[in-house]
Amino acid sequence: MAHATPIDRVARLLTWVVAASLGAMMVLTFVDVVARKLLSAGVPGSVEVTELLMLGVMFAGLPLASLKGEHVVFDMLDAWLPAWLLRWQAVLANATCAALLAGAGVLVLQRAGRTAQQGDVTPALAIGVAKFHYLIGGLLLVTALVHLVLLVRGRARAQAGDSAGAAR
């Protein structure tokens, strides 16, 4: 087996986080529905916990989707654009995504600090929300880092393609 890179290890960890969150949501929903049918009372706070688990699915999945290029793509013009322009388009897209995600991550981390100071909690179970804001901010920064890695890889390919094209 090939040596796992740091990116591979982070991707594996995030995959497990997504899978565990989704699995926990399914089990919780199943137990809640069965309890409602059999006992006429659901699991207290199940909706709240499901919402918090959904954060794990969405924000841990975001760097994975970025790394694998699984976002929605508008590619109707790709057949008519030259390869060099497509490479530079990918570089520009990754630079823009990295900047926007890093900015969003910083804003969320700032919000997390305010939330921690105020002691905000969820309504039903009184779970502190600051830790989830910190998690979201951190995962947005991880996603920005993924786009920076893709940017560097894309620039290297674009430069290799440009120099190969110039050599012809």
Side-chain angles (χ1 to χ4, degrees), residues 37-145:
K37 293 296 181 187
L38 297 179
L39 307 174
S40 297
V43 176
S46 64
V47 172
E48 204 167 83
V49 173
T50 299
E51 290 170 348
L52 295 173
L53 288 168
M54 184 58 77
L55 294 174
V57 172
M58 291 187 304
F59 288 98
L62 191 58
L64 294 172
S66 293
L67 190 59
K68 294 181 180 182
E70 294 178 344
H71 292 293
V72 174
V73 177
F74 176 78
D75 59 358
M76 289 176 40
L77 301 177
D78 286 2
W80 293 292
L81 296 175
W84 67 268
L85 184 57
L86 291 173
R87 285 190 297 271
W88 283 104
Q89 176 190 35
V91 168
L92 180 61
N94 282 313
T96 302
C97 286
L100 292 173
L101 287 162
V106 168
L107 290 174
V108 172
L109 289 174
Q110 290 171 349
R111 166 72 179 202
R114 289 192 308 271
T115 304
Q117 285 177 344
Q118 295 169 355
D120 288 354
V121 296
T122 60
L125 299 176
I127 299 169
V129 295
K131 58 184 146 255
F132 295 99
H133 288 165
Y134 282 118
L135 177 67
I136 292 167
L139 288 170
L140 286 170
L141 291 176
V142 168
T143 307
L145 183 61

